[in-house]
Each structure stands twice: as C-alpha cells, then as structure tokens.
Amino acid sequence: MNPFDYRRAEDAAGAAAMVADNPAAAFLGGGTNLVDHMKLGVAAPEVLVDITHLPMDEVEALPEGGVRIGANVRNSDLAAHPLIRRRYPVLSQALLSGASGQLRNLATTAGNLLQRTRCVYFQDTSTPCNKREPGTGCSALEGYQRYHAILGASPDCVAVHPSDMAVALTALDAQVVVQDAATERRVPIARLHRLPGEAPEHDTVLNHGDLITAVELPDMPMAVHARYRKVRDRASFAFALVSVAAAMSLGADGSVSDVRIALGGVAHKPWRALRAEEALRDGPATEERFAAAARAELAEARPLPGNTFKVALARSAITATLRQVHAEARGGDGHGGPGGHGEEQR
Amino acid sequence: MSTTSERPAARTGAIGAGPRRVEGPAKVAGTAAYAYEYRAADAAYLAPVQATIARGRVAAVDTAAAEAAEGVLAVLWHGNAPRLRTDAELPGLQQPGELHVLQSAEVHYRGQPVAAVVAETFEAAQHAAALVTLTYEQLPHDAEFSAGRTDLATPKEDHRQGDVKAAEGEVVVDQTYTTPMQHNNPMEPHSTMARWDGEAITLHESTQGAHMVRETVAELLGLEQGRVRVVAPYVGGGFGSKGPLHAPTVLAVLGARAVPHRSVKLAATRRQMFSLVGYRSPTVQRVRLRADAQGRLSGIDVTATVQSARLGDFIEEAAGPAKSMYAAPNRRMGHRAARLDVPVPTWMRAPGECPGMFGPEVAMDELAVACGLDPIEARVRNEPERDPATGKPFSTRNLIACLREGADRFGWADRPAEPGARREGEWLVGTGVAASFYPVVPPVGGSRALVRHAGDGRYVVSLAAADIGTGAWTALTQVAADVLGVPLEHVEVRLGDSALPLASLAGGSTGMMSWGSTVHAAATAFRRLHGDDPAPGAEAAADLPEVAHRDDYAMHAYGAQFAEVRVNTDTGEIRVPRLLGVFAAGRIVNARTARSQFVGGMTMGLSMALHEESVLDARFGHVVNADFAEYHIAANADVADIQAHWIDEHDPLVNPLGAKGIGEIGIVGTAAAVANAAYHATGVRVRRVPLRLDDFLDAVGA
Ligand SMILES: Cc1cc2nc3c(=O)[nH]c(=O)nc-3n(C[C@H](O)[C@H](O)[C@H](O)COP(=O)(O)OP(=O)(O)OC[C@H]3O[C@@H](n4cnc5c(N)ncnc54)[C@H](O)[C@@H]3O)c2cc1C
Ligand code: SF4
C-alpha cells in the first residue's frame, strides 16, 4: 500500500472540490472496496477525502411520494429501514443478499453503487487488464470467465458490475443525485453506469470529483410486490452469477399493466431488461409470455466459452422471478382470475 | 501397592469422556497466542516480493527505491541474502527446492519469493516491497495440467494383482472422475516470528511439528540443533500444509539474520496462501470396474493423473485407497504425474484418500445402478475377508457396520430406487452414500514423554506435540489423568516447544496413536517406578512404544457418509440440508473433540463437493481466484445438519490405547456421497467436483 494523506471535508461541495482539484484524490466511503484495492495495488490514491461524517445519512420520505436515501446510509441500515422494507422490499432483499453482515455495516449507498468489478484479473496487478491499465489487454477474454458478462460487453472488457443493490435500484427507476464543486444534478440510475466499449476504465458517466449525495426513489406502488432473486455458487457471501429484480402490476383483467425487470451479473452495468418489459406489458400474465419475455431479452446475449450456461440460467431465473412477482401481485392486489400457467408453481 | 503393568487402562474413566478443551478459555479470551501474536518490543516486519514470471531468471534487481523508503531495515535478494546449505540432507518430507529461498537467480514458479523487505512496520515493509524493481529473463513455461499429456511420468511402478485386463463379467463401469486443485486455508495463515541472538535462533512458528522445524532449519543453516528453538504451543489449523516447511519460514529466518536481536514477523497474506505454502494437486481418475450381474467385482483398475512440479516431486496418491477398499481378484492401481512449472503440491487433509475416494466411490454408485442394486448392498457384496492390497488380516474392519448403522440413523430404507423421483416444491431431492477410509499410518518421527510429580498429587506431562486445533491438549491430559488415576485438573500438559521431549509430527491423523501411546507409556512407567505416593520431583519418561503386530495386520479406519441433496428446478442451485457420518476409528478418547474432528472433516468435504476450486491460469502459471471472495469455502448458510456418530470399536492390535486416527477420515467420501445424492435427485451423473449449478440446468429444464 502506498502512503497517503487523509482529509475530512467540511461539506459536500467542499469535498467535491477537494477531489476535483487533485487527480490523485479519492472519496472514502466505508472503504470496503477502495481500501482493498489500495492493499492490492489496484488503486493508489495520494489523498483520501473522508465523507462519511457529512450529513448524508438519512432515509426520508419525499413530499411527492418517493424516498430519498442519503449517500452515507450504510447498507445494513438501508436494508432494515421501515420505509424501504414496506414500500421497496426488493431493495432490502438485494442488499441483504450481498456481502456479509460486517461488510454491510460499513458499506455506504454511494460506495456500493461505485464499487468496481470483481474480475479476478482486474484485482491482480500482475496480469494485463484494460480497465486497470488501459491498453494492456483483457486477460479475461481467454481466461477465467464464470463471473463475466453475457450482454453488452466489448472486445476490450467483458467484466460485470457486481452490485446487488444497484440492480434493485435500476428496477425501481432511481435517480442519483450528484454534486460537483459548483452544482447539483440528477442522473437516472440506468444512465449512471456505462457499457465498456473502448473505454472500460470508465465504469460510470461521473467526472473525477463528482460526489454522490443521495439516491431518490420514485413513488412506485407496484414496488411493494417486487422481488429480488439472486443465483450464486454459494448459499451466502457470494457474488451473483445472475440476479433478477422484478416488479409487476396487473390490470383488472389480470393482464400485465406495468412491469420492471433488471438483471445483475450479466453486464458491465446493472441491466435494465427493456425488451422483456416491452414483450410483457399490456398482455396476459402467462408462463409462456414470461418465458418469451426472458428469451427476448437474451436474444442478444453473447456468452463467453466459460459462461455459456448463464444464458439459460438467466432465462430461467427471469421466468421464475416473474412467476413469483406475478403471484405476489395477484395476492396483493386481490386480483383473482385465471393467470394461465403463471399460477402453477413448477 | 498393585503392579502398574496390570493396571486397567481406564482407571478414572477419563479416557472416553468428553471434557471441554483445557485451552478453551485461553483461546476464547485471546490469551492463547499464535506465532504472529507474540508481543515483541523489537518487532520488525518482512514483506516478500514475488516473481511475476513462471520460469526464467532474475536478470537484475533494483533495490534503491526500497532501501530509501522510510522505515526500511534491509532489502534481501539472491545477491545479498545469507547463504543456506543447499546441499544439506533435509528430512524426507521437505521439498529442498522450495526451501532454497533467495539462493539463486532461477525462477521456478510464479509467486516464488525473489526478494524481501524488512522494515519497522508492516505497512512500511509492504510499501517498500512494491518499490523493488525486478527485471527477468523469461523462459517459456508449462503449467497446463491434463491427463492427455504425452510426457506424463510414472513415479512408481503400478500396483498389480491378477490380470485386470482379463477380468470377466458383463457389467462395466469405465469413467473418468476429476477433482480440482485446492488450497489449504487454515484460519491462522502460515506465520513466523524469527529472532537471532548470536549464533542461535528462536522461531515462534505456526507448525505441525516443532522438532521437524528445528531439524530442518538447523540443517539449512548448518547449525547444531541445540541452537534452534521452535515455539508453537497454539496453532490455528494446519490441515497438512504446516507439516512440511515452506518458503515463508525460510524467508523470515534470512530476514531476521539481517537484523540481529530483532523479532522479524511474517504472516502470509490470504493471497500469498495461494502461492507460497503448497496445495492439493488436481486429479484425473480413470476408474474401470468390471463385475458380474450381481455386482461382484472381478476387476478394479484405477489410474490417477496428478500434478507435480519440476522444482520437486510430490505425488498425490489418489489411486491408493482403491488398493484395499473392495475385493476383486484382478486389480491395478497407478499414478501418472505432470511435472510443471508450478509450486510444489503438499499435504492437504487426507492427501491421497480424500480425492482418491471420490472417483471409486462414485463408480461404486454407478455399479450399483448398473446392477439394479442398492448402493449399500453393492458395497457389502464386495467386502474383502483380508486386505486386498497385502493379503493380511484386518486388525478391525467395520465398514459394513458403519453402512448399516448409518442407514438406520439416516432413514435410508425409505429411499426410492429410481433417481429423480422426489420433488418438494421447487426442489428435486435425493440421497446418496459413500464409504470413508483412512489408514493407520506410522507416525512421522519418534516421540518421548516426560511425567513429573509437581507435589501435592499434581503432575506435569511434557512433550513437544503440536495441537493444531485437534484437541491434543485435552486428550493427552485425559490419557495422563486416567493412567495416573488422578482428576484432570491435577494434570498440566506442556506442548509445542522444541525444548520439550521429541514428538512426532501432527500428520497422518497419528496424534493420539503416537503421543497418546507415548503419554500412556510414560504415565504407566511413572506409576511403576514411583508407586501411588511419589516424592515431589519424581520423574519418568517413555518413548513411543513399538506396536507389536504392526506388520502382521492391515490397520485402517472406516466410515460411511450419507447425504441429502436438493437441486433447484429453476436454477440448478445445489443445497445439502443433511450429512450423516458413522465412523469406526478405534477408541475415541474425547467424545467432544472427536466429534469436532469428524464434523469438521465432513464440513470440509462438503466444501470440496460444492465449492473449493483453485483456478490456475496456465497462461500465467498462477492461481487467479486467490482470495476468499472468489475461492469459495462453505459458508454457514451452506452447512445445515451435519451429524457424526461412531461405533464402539475395540482394536487392541493398533496400539495400547486402541486408537486409530480421526483427524482426516471425516473429509474422505463426503464429496462422493454428495455427488451420488445429486444423481439420485436429478438423474444427472456428475463426475467432477465441485458440483455446480450449471451441471443441472439441462436436467431441470432451465
Ligand atoms: C468479500 C466481499 C464480498 C462482497 N459481496 C458482495 C455482494 O455479494 N454483493 C454486492 O453487491 N457487493 C458485495 N461486496 C461489495 C460491497 O458491497 C462493497 O464493497 C461496498 O458496497 C462498497 O461500499 P463502501 O462504502 O465501502 O465503498 P468504498 O470502498 O468507500 O468506495 C467505493 C468507491 O466509491 C467511491 N465513493 C464512495 N462514496 C462516494 C460518494 N459519495 N460519491 C462519489 N464516490 C464515492 C470511492 O472513492 C471508491 O471509488 C462484497 C465485498 C467484499 C469485500
Ligand atoms: S474483463 Fe475488463 S476488468 Fe477483466 S481483465 Fe478484461 S478488461 Fe480487465
């Protein structure tokens, strides 16, 4: 680990300025990702600007119906918050499926969003990696690929974004509140993370020095029935091979009136499954249509030799999660009525 | 006064009871210090610099920046490191090539230490290590393990009986089974605190044998053994990899040489655990069984291809257990080795038996299916009368008793014969069984114990044995108390210091057999010499007693493991809600610590079945999933109901205590039981561990 300076910012704009002014400065949240990277030599900031004492640690209901989550709210606190558990249980589930109790106690909302890929080569400074050192090559292209992308990758990088929380936030249409030295702006979560393209060194659209101050969730009644399903190699304390966050609302006739689907473990960003949503909306809620929607989303999947199974896995996980949220939505909304094969628990 | 030679072994009933660990409170309170934890006012810290090529030479080392960094005391490399006696004859279990650290420019494996920094703080050492610049002359390396290679070596002549090619019978199982490279990861990583004072060195060491370390270090340094002291009273697990020495210990010794009178500390980081302290070789097992329609074997043929290193040969004897498990007139067992540019493999819990009971025990399940037999019955039909490998009678063999009792306890009778028959909600449910086996191996090295009367009926028992978490502190206290006929609290055992009498290595599950027998002998001798009312200061010592019938009998421990497996119909995810093992391992000295050993072994077996796999990227030559987020070990949520039972086995032939080893047998067979249960749940036969959800996706229709 390199020697580094440690500073505390006075306020959000000041923190943003401190980092913006120094290309070798970084914000310090819980440190569970950044400090690991410093130990591994993956990151070598000269200045850490600690922001954890800034007053960004509240979860509050917004007047127009949504909820605002401060950037410093710890993952454990967010998962346990009554507003979240009641109105956005999918977010609680996603958080609780991630990491371990100890890590969640430290990890912050912003830090979780901006955690970097777990690609083993990215974390190993003795191997080439375009994301860590642009232009050196991608070791994963012919290497260990079990946890790599099947959607939206490029020849320069096939890594995935590892966050569970971000997948739920993507299904919930969250907005990310960003402060730079001068102004505040809002970035829709679906546009925060990038696909790798030719510049895999950039995970997000943020500029150096942009500080995330909050995440806002819109009012979304159907989120009450949303669910998170995480498929992994170990029963706990493992990153997703594939994960699905889904919400559904049903019309009076039992058909799908609205739906949100996001996927984790499949792409360089939390993957909003717009094609699947499109295929489902305004039609009957049947097992066939759930499966067809999953197929539609994965039509463009380009698996790697080491992760071909993830296409079938994602398809099945999407279908199963839709089946589950459909059952929840029917129960919750009190819509009886025939649901086709959707009501069968396979 | 009675003559002690006739004294019944169980005088107080302490042997066989289940007292709590004598060192338990100290461990819970954190006062049982591990090697790295000793407080030293003069501590310095060592950080290794590891090669980033797998083969070649170090052409140049630039240490200027590192030497200039704050807090740096010394930077060592092959040009300035103290010389070791590279021609010294080391104890047989050591890999000299691995231990000749910083003695030449050669690089034999990626991750090899090529320099080291000693500094005032851990952080300063780590930082300066990153400032050492190395230039290499790189040579092409070969780290591609495969059974299809044309250059495989045959390390030993194959074991042959009858003519396996001529074996007859209409049923054939001919399959290939594989187990992966795995890394030993005890909670306490390999650690050393080394300090030179004049021409003498003291090592606080995380080891399975203080005397073995002393002898090896003395040889490497050309010192008399009396000038090397090794202290290791508490060790946080070893699983075999702390049996032989590895490079970090030698680095600490060299580093400490550079800063006399300072205590140089080195604990391997988790990442370094994946390159510096050995590993379990991957295996590819070609198993061919031939049997008649009733499932009676006529031929058993096992070839295990394993990975070894050009730097030193270590053969994971995975074809070994098949030599003596089941009867068959025609048999052949052999090993082939790929010698690669990789670190040297080492012992990992039940080396040989653990991977070597995967292939054959899944093959036995396949044989049962092919013959339409219950898998327990298939094993019963092939029970040998004498040890197939040697023709000797068994001292005791209770495999069938374990299978039967396990079947009862597990509820095996309700099992549907057909696979894929049981479904509960979104889970396919199946059960499976496999046998466990572990030989009674001769201890590595001799042992001697000293019993002293401290006055007031209190006794001190000393020998240098290493308790690596197994419970030796407690069990040896019990043995001594029982033979001396005093309460446990009146016996103080002293362990883990080369200044104490010689003790064999904690390896091969031999602790109770060797140290237990030795303490038994010393306590017996004490009473014989000094009677029941000894003077304060009275002493008696004894050496490890000879086992009279060692060569006349085949001596092994056995077990049966049962698993329930659930496979998710949406995702193929695999869960193991239930594992049950029944073991026949001689006399159980401490029921509590023995259960912990069995359950611990089975848990590690479960971890092998579902998780553990080191991914060696042959392009680079190193393991790329080298941390606990990526190298999965079973987490709490994976471990549900694990039960261990044992049958009351009396075997007076194995040793005076009647104890066989229990430290390793628990891991043997678990993975096969899980794979067999997964087949029963789904109808999919997976012949490779770890079992993964992708293996079942097709079957569940995903
Ligand atoms: C063993 C292990 C297992 C894990 N398993 C999972 C898992 O299963 N699922 C999962 O989702 N995650 C998992 N994680 C990752 C964990 O969730 C992240 O480490 C954590 O969320 C990061 O949060 P932090 O506050 O500690 O971030 P930090 O490490 O402090 O920061 C991460 C990054 O965000 C930047 N940053 C922090 N705050 C701000 C801000 N306000 N504005 C702008 N930039 C900021 C930092 O500069 C840094 O670049 C695991 C981690 C470990 C170590
Ligand atoms: S996949 Fe991306 S992160 Fe991984 S090695 Fe390639 S470039 Fe680096």
Side-chain angles (χ1 to χ4, degrees):
Chain A
M1 192 190 280
N2 280 335
F4 58 90
D5 277 344
Y6 171 88
R7 308 236 179 93
R8 286 163 79 101
E10 296 287 314
D11 54 34
M18 273 161 97
V19 171
D21 288 350
N22 184 347
F27 297 116
L28 178 66
T32 61
N33 194 225
L34 180 57
V35 175
D36 268 8
H37 285 163
M38 291 165 68
K39 291 183 193 167
L40 293 170
V42 171
E46 286 165 15
V47 180
L48 287 188
V49 177
D50 191 345
I51 50 168
T52 51
H53 58 286
L54 296 180
M56 312 188 291
D57 55 355
E58 295 287 331
V59 178
E60 325 155 72
L62 292 171
E64 58 277 29
V67 166
R68 181 183 166 98
I69 302 161
N72 282 342
V73 176
R74 307 285 172 169
N75 288 179
S76 307
D77 295 335
L78 184 56
H81 199 281
L83 271 179
I84 302 301
R85 292 180 50 180
R86 201 164 52 238
R87 293 173 52 190
Y88 309 95
V90 64
L91 180 53
S92 273
Q93 291 163 13
L95 283 160
L96 293 175
S97 77
S100 65
Q102 294 91 329
L103 285 158
R104 294 193 297 268
N105 286 343
L106 267 179
T108 62
T109 306
N112 189 318
L113 273 180
L114 298 182
Q115 65 173 299
R116 308 206 66 191
T117 185
R118 306 300 295 198
C119 171
V120 294
Y121 304 101
F122 174 74
Q123 299 184 91
D124 178 348
T125 54
S126 76
T127 59
C129 167
N130 284 329
K131 186 182 275 299
R132 183 168 29 75
E133 278 180 77
T136 53
C138 170
S139 294
L141 276 184
E142 288 172 17
Y144 179 53
Q145 303 168 331
R146 187 169 180 82
Y147 287 88
H148 287 73
I150 56 172
L151 287 164
S154 79
D156 288 329
C157 179
V158 292
V160 302
H161 192 263
S163 168
D164 291 299
M165 181 193 79
V167 178
L169 292 179
T170 300
L172 293 172
D173 280 332
Q175 299 266 336
V176 180
V177 185
V178 179
Q179 167 90 52
D180 64 19
T183 57
E184 185 180 277
R185 66 185 195 278
R186 279 175 172 64
V187 182
I189 179 99
R191 271 192 264 133
L192 178 71
H193 297 92
R194 304 175 59 254
L195 288 179
E198 289 177 2
E201 66 275 24
H202 296 298
D203 292 355
T204 69
V205 299
L206 298 183
N207 300 313
H208 182 72
D210 279 353
L211 177 75
I212 295 179
T213 54
V215 173
E216 292 177 354
L217 302 178
D219 187 26
M220 192 187 275
M222 70 175 161
V224 176
H225 307 302
R227 285 289 173 270
Y228 190 68
R229 177 149 189 172
K230 178 173 179 181
V231 186
R232 46 187 151 175
D233 277 329
R234 178 161 66 177
S236 77
F237 201 30
F239 289 93
L241 285 165
V242 166
S243 69
V244 185
M248 191 185 291
S249 71
L250 302 176
D253 60 351
S255 66
V256 179
S257 59
D258 202 1
V259 61
R260 295 282 183 289
I261 306 169
L263 308 178
V266 296
H268 196 256
K269 59 188 287 188
W271 188 264
R272 178 73 181 267
L274 292 171
R275 288 163 190 253
E277 292 180 11
E278 186 62 31
L280 274 178
R281 215 170 266 124
D282 300 324
T286 61
E287 177 83 10
E288 286 76 22
R289 291 188 75 245
F290 298 161
R295 271 197 307 277
E297 192 60 49
L298 292 159
E300 300 285 299
R302 296 287 174 271
L304 301 159
N307 69 8
T308 44
F309 70 95
K310 281 172 87 167
V311 179
L313 178 62
R315 209 188 298 126
S316 182
I318 295 171
T319 311
T321 313
L322 289 171
R323 194 186 310 132
Q324 192 190 0
V325 288
H326 174 243
E328 294 281 343
R330 282 178 59 202
D333 297 351
H335 291 299
H341 295 284
E343 66 191 321
E344 276 174 28
Q345 281 294 319
R346 282 209 299 157
Chain B
M1 194 194 310
S2 64
T3 54
T4 43
S5 58
E6 279 140 38
R7 193 182 298 281
R11 202 177 173 195
T12 65
I15 296 181
R20 295 207 167 83
R21 289 176 188 260
V22 296
E23 84 284 20
K27 281 199 172 148
V28 173
T31 53
Y34 293 138
Y36 195 82
E37 296 174 329
Y38 282 87
R39 300 244 164 89
D42 54 7
Y45 297 81
L46 187 142
V49 179
Q50 298 181 262
T52 54
I53 62 167
R55 183 163 167 252
R57 291 173 54 82
V58 174
V61 185
D62 183 350
T63 60
E67 277 162 7
E70 202 178 309
V72 171
L73 299 169
V75 181
L76 301 180
W77 56 290
H78 65 86
N80 69 356
R83 295 295 93 188
L84 296 169
R85 291 205 320 158
T86 48
D87 56 353
E89 180 99 13
L90 303 181
L93 76 164
Q94 308 295 9
Q95 291 288 345
E98 191 185 343
L99 300 181
H100 296 154
V101 180
L102 305 186
Q103 300 300 298
S104 82
E106 292 327 297
V107 175
H108 301 278
Y109 60 94
R110 190 167 171 128
Q112 177 185 316
V114 285
V117 175
V118 185
E120 296 285 353
T121 64
F122 171 78
E123 290 78 8
Q126 295 285 328
H127 173 53
L131 299 176
V132 176
T133 315
L134 290 137
T135 320
Y136 299 100
E137 283 162 19
Q138 189 166 0
L139 292 172
H141 70 265
D142 183 352
E144 194 86 56
F145 174 69
S146 132
R149 293 177 65 108
T150 51
D151 62 348
L152 297 174
T154 302
K156 233 196 304 189
E157 220 176 284
D158 293 355
H159 173 88
R160 287 174 194 276
Q161 290 167 296
D163 180 359
V164 83
K165 290 219 177 71
E168 291 182 7
E170 56 252 61
V171 182
V172 178
V173 175
D174 180 354
Q175 297 290 354
T176 299
Y177 305 86
T178 63
T179 66
M181 183 186 209
Q182 297 168 333
H183 277 81
N184 262 326
N185 268 291
M187 290 273 243
E188 182 203 17
H190 291 239
S191 347
T192 305
M193 181 171 90
R195 180 191 164 104
W196 283 89
D197 290 289
E199 283 308 298
I201 183 166
T202 305
L203 296 173
H204 287 77
E205 173 79 355
S206 186
T207 178
Q208 293 175 218
H211 278 278
M212 183 61 74
V213 177
R214 180 172 81 167
E215 186 183 341
T216 306
V217 169
E219 284 296 337
L220 280 172
L221 295 169
L223 285 181
E224 279 174 28
Q225 288 203 28
R227 294 188 172 276
V228 180
R229 165 116 184 254
V230 180
V231 183
Y234 303 108
V235 179
F239 305 120
S241 73
K242 291 176 185 168
L245 269 194
H246 299 288
T249 305
V250 182
L251 263 188
V253 167
L254 297 176
R257 191 66 164 155
V259 290
H261 307 296
R262 296 203 61 170
S263 302
V264 171
K265 291 186 171 197
L266 167 57
T269 62
R270 260 317 146 197
R271 200 159 266 267
Q272 286 163 352
M273 292 294 291
F274 288 84
S275 56
L276 289 178
V277 297
Y279 56 92
R280 193 199 293 287
S281 160
T283 73
V284 176
Q285 305 167 29
R286 173 88 185 268
V287 179
R288 278 171 279 197
L289 304 179
R290 193 176 270 277
D292 64 18
Q294 285 72 47
R296 277 187 201 85
L297 288 164
S298 58
I300 305 176
D301 187 342
V302 179
T303 304
T305 304
V306 301
Q307 175 173 308
S308 186
R310 285 206 217 176
L311 179 58
D313 218 16
F314 178 97
I315 302 302
E316 176 84 25
E317 296 206 11
K323 288 182 199 167
S324 99
M325 268 313 285
Y326 298 111
N330 305 294
R331 37 210 313 137
R332 191 194 64 87
M333 287 87 206
H335 296 95
R336 305 292 178 267
R339 294 189 175 128
L340 305 177
D341 299 308
V342 293
V344 189
T346 195
W347 295 338
M348 180 163 172
R349 205 169 194 169
E353 285 75 23
C354 173
M357 286 288 277
F358 176 69
E361 285 300 303
V362 176
M364 284 302 281
D365 204 65
E366 301 202 52
L367 178 74
V369 170
C371 299
L373 282 177
D374 181 271
I376 293 180
E377 182 56 28
R379 289 171 173 85
V380 171
R381 289 197 183 172
N382 291 291
E383 175 73 1
E385 271 175 31
R386 291 174 158 249
D387 176 27
T390 59
K392 293 176 186 175
F394 294 106
S395 64
T396 42
R397 172 169 163 127
N398 280 305
L399 173 60
I400 293 179
C402 291
L403 287 163
R404 299 255 191 256
E405 178 162 344
D408 273 357
R409 289 180 177 273
F410 189 77
W412 185 258
D414 307 337
R415 179 185 199 253
E418 289 302 306
R422 218 173 120 196
R423 185 186 176 124
E424 289 177 19
E426 57 181 60
W427 297 93
L428 298 175
V429 185
T431 54
V433 66
S436 304
F437 162 83
Y438 196 78
V440 172
V441 287
V444 181
S447 291
R448 182 174 176 80
L450 179 70
V451 175
R452 195 169 67 85
H453 180 221
D456 289 340
R458 295 180 174 272
Y459 296 85
V460 176
V461 177
S462 27
L463 79 167
D467 184 334
I468 58 173
T470 50
W473 279 101
T474 315
L476 295 176
T477 306
Q478 287 172 264
V479 172
D482 203 33
V483 180
L484 293 167
V486 299
L488 286 184
E489 312 77 67
H490 287 198
V491 175
E492 182 197 331
V493 166
R494 294 187 184 156
L495 301 181
D497 188 332
S498 66
L500 300 173
L502 177 69
S504 61
L505 202 73
S509 299
T510 58
M512 252 321 102
M513 295 185 272
S514 62
W515 316 325
S517 297
T518 308
V519 168
H520 192 280
T524 306
F526 184 94
R527 281 288 182 245
R528 190 169 55 235
L529 280 172
H530 305 294
D532 277 346
D533 191 14
E539 284 187 351
D543 292 317
L544 172 63
E546 290 284 317
V547 175
H549 304 287
R550 173 81 234 171
D551 296 331
D552 306 332
Y553 291 89
M555 300 178 178
H556 309 292
Y558 296 90
Q561 299 202 24
F562 295 77
E564 176 181 324
V565 165
R566 300 186 163 230
V567 176
N568 189 279
T569 51
D570 291 321
T571 60
E573 285 165 296
I574 311 141
R575 300 288 180 260
V576 180
R578 241 169 16 116
L579 278 179
L580 186 145
V582 177
F583 301 93
R587 189 176 193 187
I588 299 303
V589 173
N590 183 318
R592 181 188 303 263
T593 53
R595 175 163 285 113
S596 153
Q597 285 296 300
F598 290 133
V599 169
M602 292 167 74
T603 305
M604 212 162 159
L606 169 69
S607 196
M608 167 181 178
L610 299 186
H611 303 303
E612 293 189 43
E613 177 176 24
S614 308
V615 179
L616 187 119
D617 190 323
R619 296 170 302 168
F620 303 113
H622 73 304
V623 171
V624 292
N625 60 336
D627 64 45
F628 280 180
E630 326 298 331
Y631 180 94
H632 287 177
I633 293 173
N636 278 337
D638 296 291
V639 181
D641 177 8
I642 300 192
Q643 288 184 34
H645 305 275
W646 50 88
I647 62 174
D648 207 9
E649 188 177 72
H650 295 281
D651 188 339
L653 297 167
V654 278
N655 50 51
L657 266 180
K660 298 175 178 176
I662 58 169
E664 292 166 272
I665 190 167
I667 196 178
V668 181
T670 324
V674 170
N676 294 341
Y679 167 78
H680 186 239
T682 62
V684 178
R685 182 63 75 179
V686 182
R687 301 185 179 87
R688 163 178 47 76
V689 280
L691 304 172
R692 289 267 166 79
L693 58 84
D694 10 334
D695 296 320
F696 302 99
L697 278 174
D698 283 344
V700 300

